[in-house]
Amino acid sequence: MTLLGKFITIEGGEGVGKSTNIACVESFLQAQAISYVKTREPGGTPLAEEIRSLLLAPRDEKVCEKTELLLMFAARAQHLQQVILPALQRGEWVICDRFTDATYAYQGGGRKLSLDTIATLETVVQGGLQPDLTLLLDVDVGTGLARLGNREQIDRFEREQQDFFEAVRAMYHQRAKQFPERFRIVDAGQPLEVVQKNIIHYLQQFIASSAA
């Protein structure tokens, strides 16, 4: 399978400003006349969005951690086949709000599920596919959760306690150390103009290295 496009993922915990900064990535790509597809996980297709709704909806029934993990990868399998891989094959860039690193962070770090199990499912669903660049928006957990305070509704994950999110953040940092060639950590606690200046810097570096 020949993939002509580039795959960029934006990762981070709660309250890091992913939506705002993904818009910055879009503006940069538009200025460079780069054709792209913006998508998200879990979700990205009608079926995968239904699975997302199942995953995020607060409910009285306790959701088994393994059920959650399998639903994540079920949505990802559909997303890859219907959206991500076709776009990359067409030569388009894909900008994805979270991907498999989030599964390691939330289900591996937060839920304490086996990283080996996650890696096995990763291989089954995506083979050797990995993002070309991962922008990790990072902020201390207290600040991130404080930013959620203005939301009228919070989903099932956002209802977790602070120690859950501390474990999520720690796993994200572990992933960044494990894969330094594709991870770029952006301090999302800085003023927005500084955050976006750093994002653009990393994108410019990425384009330059891709052209070399």
Side-chain angles (χ1 to χ4, degrees):
M1 179 188 301
T2 301
L3 301 179
L4 303 175
K6 297 296 182 183
F7 186 19
I8 298 178
T9 55
I10 291 82
E11 295 282 358
E14 308 308 315
V16 297
K18 285 189 291 87
S19 298
T20 300
N21 289 302
I22 287 171
C24 171
V25 174
E26 288 191 88
S27 295
F28 175 82
L29 295 183
Q30 290 166 4
Q32 303 298 314
I34 293 173
S35 178
Y36 69 92
V37 170
K38 181 181 76 169
T39 189
R40 69 176 182 176
E41 288 222 340
T45 80
L47 175 56
E49 289 290 335
E50 289 184 39
I51 298 174
R52 178 187 179 90
S53 296
L54 288 174
L55 283 163
L56 298 188
R59 62 186 72 247
D60 294 331
E61 178 185 3
K62 176 174 170 50
V63 178
C64 170
E65 288 84 357
K66 291 181 180 177
T67 301
E68 182 179 284
L69 177 65
L70 291 169
L71 285 171
M72 286 289 183
F73 273 106
R76 183 163 297 133
Q78 187 72 8
H79 190 203
L80 279 166
Q81 292 304 313
Q82 296 298 319
V83 176
I84 295 175
L85 291 175
L88 294 174
Q89 288 166 354
R90 292 192 301 266
E92 295 180 301
W93 288 32
V94 174
I95 311 303
C96 192
D97 181 346
R98 295 198 175 124
F99 192 60
T100 309
D101 292 304
T103 304
Y104 280 94
Y106 280 79
Q107 283 70 54
R111 302 290 188 219
K112 311 301 183 190
L113 289 174
S114 163
L115 300 185
D116 288 339
T117 298
I118 296 174
T120 297
L121 291 169
E122 178 183 20
T123 300
V124 169
V125 169
Q126 55 196 87
L129 178 68
Q130 292 293 326
D132 296 296
L133 173 67
T134 297
L135 297 172
L136 174 57
L137 301 174
D138 181 61
V139 72
D140 69 89
V141 171
T143 299
L145 293 179
R147 291 174 177 176
L148 296 181
N150 296 326
R151 296 188 186 179
E152 293 183 2
Q153 295 182 334
I154 58 175
D155 64 40
R156 189 172 63 86
F157 286 93
E158 293 168 344
R159 296 181 179 216
E160 294 291 342
Q161 298 301 307
Q162 182 160 340
D163 59 348
F164 174 88
F165 296 112
E166 295 286 1
V168 167
R169 186 186 184 205
M171 182 58 69
Y172 266 132
H173 280 270
Q174 182 176 321
R175 296 286 291 172
K177 290 179 181 177
Q178 187 176 356
F179 301 101
E181 70 283 355
R182 67 175 173 87
F183 265 88
R184 299 293 180 268
I185 299 178
V186 179
D187 182 354
Q190 300 180 98
L192 181 60
E193 60 270 21
V194 177
V195 173
Q196 297 193 339
K197 181 179 179 180
N198 289 335
I199 288 172
I200 291 170
H201 171 70
Y202 287 135
L203 290 171
Q204 290 171 333
Q205 278 189 334
F206 176 70
I207 289 176
S209 64
S210 299

